[in-house]
Amino acid sequence: MLDIVIMAAGKGTRMKSSRPKVLHTLAGRALLQHVLATAAGLGAQRLITITGHGAEEVEAAMRSAFPEAPLAFVRQEPQLGTGHAVQQAVPLLDDAGTTLILNGDTPLIDASTARALVDACGGTQLALLTIDLADPTGYGRILRDGDGRGEKLLGIVEHKDASAAQRAIREVYTGMMAAPTALLKLWLARLSNDNAQREYYLTDVVAMAVADGVAVVAAQPASETEVLGVNSPLQLAELERRLQRKQAEALLEAGVRLTDPARFDLRGTLVCGGEVEIDVNCVFEGRVELGDRVHVGANCVIRDARIAAGAVIHPFTHIDGAEVGAGALVGPFARLRPGAELGAEVHIGNFVEVKNSTLARGAKANHLAYLGDATVGERVNYGAGSITANYDGANKHRTVIGDDVHVGSNCVLVAPVTLGAGATIGGGSTINKDVPAGQLGVARARQTVIAGWRRPTKKR
Ligand code: UD1
Ligand code: CA
């Protein structure tokens, strides 16, 4: 039986932010969300998060992110140290099992490492996750016998309490441990705050285990990235780059051609078919699916979208909540808003905005246009500068454009209005009455030519 305790009550002063530290985002998800997602895969009976600063906000965010997981929250008020934090969870922990302790601000811990730590505990030993750091400043140092190089672990000394000799030790405690729950409870009950920070240190349980004759073992993560904590905006930004690099490498290995893995951002899930190409500085958010041979040009932002095979998204295009059909061409500088559904071979050009509209196969709006709440038929040609006037100031109305309609340039289609199949709309028209199939609709002032008119000349 496994219980997982995640410490997340700290304030995170160095973030210099009113937002609780564990709600700052990494690759689009809260730090704590990363930890809980990993923890949720470990088969624990309970995921207990210790909250304090911003507790209500943190709890609400996690409950909505993990509606199915066995979440529990315990408040720690005030925050008197990591040992005090875990003490708050004691009533929820099952004596017969193992407790795994993780940190809400160490988001990239891998499930395999967490499992290895639980395995190292084996229900009988105290297992610590440790790592050798080139610069161990600030971390708790691992004390071992035989001049510190021995096999036997003796304890952890916090940086602030360490002697100069102890500060030279490079093996540090990562903040994660697994312990037999019944023993952990006995040790937690004996903690004191007799130290430099006047805190109840969780790390003091190590010396207690040694004194009780319980074996203490260490496990190591596969990479340093897994145990990097976030305490400042700089550390958050650095971890973001590491995670983005990892995601980019996974995509490259899967055959996706990213022009530059250092200029790629994925804040969610990206599912790619074969032969997909993504140029520099693109941001993908939410869930995005790119079909076979899709090409995304530089500087596109794409969120919650499905883009079908062979479509080309030209540079500087913004897509949110839209579907793009096979072989469609979009951009440069196009904007697809929620509910935009483009059929196969549709062309959407520069400075064209589409919202809550369906465009059937082969329809084209190539320049400077707006289509909102419209149903557009096959092969429609929608001229430059034309718009649907879909909002009367109170309600939205639909514009229906039949197959093969040609809408000239600079037209205003005042919804609700229907243009029958094959209709033509003369450029510069304001259309507020239906135009039957095959007819020409023109609604503009007639041109007059004034013969003999002279331009004014400058007065002397
Ligand atoms: C802790 C360890 C240190 C280790 C380091 C790794 C202790 C005493 N020290 O130090 O050995 O090298 O982590 O990062 O455990 N928290 C609470 N309530 C509290 C205090 C902290 O929930 O009262 C939470 C924090 O929000 C944070 C985590 O516990 O998520 C660690 O606390 P932090 O103050 O960062 O620990 P360190 O002093 O860095
Ligand atoms: Ca501290």
Side-chain angles (χ1 to χ4, degrees):
M1 248 168 317
L2 178 65
D3 286 308
I4 300 180
V5 175
I6 301 169
M7 293 184 287
K11 186 165 184 213
T13 312
R14 284 195 280 152
M15 291 302 290
K16 298 195 167 69
S17 164
S18 58
R19 201 193 308 181
K21 177 162 85 172
V22 293
L23 292 187
H24 282 266
T25 58
L26 186 73
R29 293 194 303 170
L31 297 175
L32 182 55
Q33 210 178 330
H34 285 270
V35 182
L36 278 169
T38 303
L42 298 174
Q45 56 177 355
R46 259 208 197 112
L47 308 176
I48 305 158
T49 303
I50 312 295
T51 55
H53 282 279
E56 276 173 29
E57 209 183 322
V58 172
E59 291 168 17
M62 293 307 119
R63 283 214 166 89
S64 76
F66 299 95
E68 310 281 310
L71 301 189
F73 296 93
V74 180
R75 301 256 175 113
Q76 185 200 14
E77 294 287 356
Q79 286 89 35
L80 303 178
T82 51
H84 179 253
V86 181
Q87 279 172 353
Q88 312 310 305
V90 161
L92 295 182
L93 302 176
D94 193 327
D95 281 350
T98 295
T99 298
L100 170 66
I101 297 169
L102 303 175
N103 272 298
D105 63 358
T106 309
L108 299 184
I109 182 67
D110 202 82
S112 60
T113 299
R115 245 182 240 116
L117 193 58
V118 173
D119 289 348
C121 162
T124 58
Q125 316 190 99
L126 175 60
L128 309 176
L129 191 69
T130 75
I131 189 169
D132 286 347
L133 292 182
D135 177 11
T137 309
Y139 287 88
R141 306 300 205 284
I142 301 294
L143 306 179
R144 290 174 179 266
D145 66 352
D147 275 354
R149 280 182 207 86
E151 278 297 294
K152 191 170 181 331
L153 279 89
L154 301 176
I156 298 174
V157 60
E158 289 304 303
H159 181 92
K160 285 186 177 142
D161 299 289
S163 66
Q166 288 168 331
R167 286 185 181 181
I169 297 170
R170 288 174 41 200
E171 187 183 6
V172 305
Y173 172 55
T174 60
M176 294 171 251
M177 66 168 70
T181 303
L183 291 172
L184 179 67
K185 287 187 182 180
L186 292 176
W187 299 329
L188 288 171
R190 278 154 52 190
L191 290 178
S192 82
N193 65 351
D194 184 13
N195 53 51
Q197 302 186 80
R198 293 257 150 249
E199 284 181 10
Y200 293 87
Y201 290 166
L202 175 63
T203 43
D204 285 350
V205 303
V206 180
M208 292 180 191
V210 172
D212 288 356
V214 174
V216 182
V217 294
Q220 276 76 40
S223 86
E224 192 185 300
T225 306
E226 288 187 55
V227 299
L228 291 178
V230 172
N231 297 295
S232 66
L234 176 62
Q235 286 174 344
L236 180 61
E238 284 172 350
L239 211 53
E240 177 80 26
R241 278 342 300 162
R242 287 194 191 222
L243 177 53
Q244 291 301 345
R245 177 79 197 189
K246 193 172 151 200
Q247 295 185 144
E249 282 176 9
L251 287 164
L252 285 161
E253 270 159 32
V256 178
R257 290 204 289 282
L258 301 179
T259 305
D260 183 357
R263 285 179 290 168
F264 166 81
D265 286 271
L266 170 57
R267 301 170 191 156
T269 307
L270 179 62
V271 181
C272 291
E275 310 288 326
V276 166
E277 290 183 35
I278 301 172
D279 209 337
V280 301
N281 292 333
C282 292
V283 179
F284 296 88
E285 298 179 331
R287 183 183 168 83
V288 175
E289 290 176 32
L290 305 179
D292 294 342
R293 300 178 312 284
V294 164
H295 187 283
V296 181
N299 301 297
C300 292
V301 177
I302 304 181
R303 169 198 188 98
D304 295 325
R306 288 222 309 260
I307 298 174
V312 177
I313 311 299
H314 290 295
F316 296 99
T317 290
H318 191 280
I319 298 179
D320 178 11
E323 282 185 36
V324 176
L329 306 179
V330 182
F333 297 101
R335 180 170 184 208
L336 304 184
R337 291 172 52 201
E341 289 177 25
L342 314 188
E345 313 288 335
V346 163
H347 294 184
I348 295 296
N350 45 270
F351 306 107
V352 174
E353 174 181 345
V354 183
K355 184 218 76 170
N356 190 32
S357 295
T358 56
L359 279 74
R361 172 183 283 272
K364 294 182 174 66
N366 274 327
H367 337 261
L368 301 156
Y370 175 57
L371 281 160
D373 303 305
T375 303
V376 179
E378 294 186 11
R379 298 170 301 276
V380 163
N381 199 316
Y382 194 76
S386 290
I387 65 152
T388 53
N390 55 324
Y391 184 52
D392 61 15
N395 296 298
K396 302 262 166 74
H397 302 280
R398 270 202 102 67
T399 301
V400 178
I401 304 176
D403 293 346
D404 300 298
V405 165
H406 277 218
V407 176
S409 296
N410 254 11
C411 294
V412 179
L413 307 179
V414 183
V417 71
T418 297
L419 312 180
T424 300
I425 307 301
S429 294
T430 296
I431 298 292
N432 59 1
K433 292 190 201 74
D434 292 355
V435 177
Q439 309 281 298
L440 170 67
V442 199
R444 63 183 183 223
R446 276 188 183 276
Q447 180 173 332
T448 46
V449 174
I450 300 172
W453 179 81
R454 280 172 192 272
R455 270 193 210 169
T457 53
K458 219 178 176 76
K459 281 182 189 148
R460 284 259 174 124

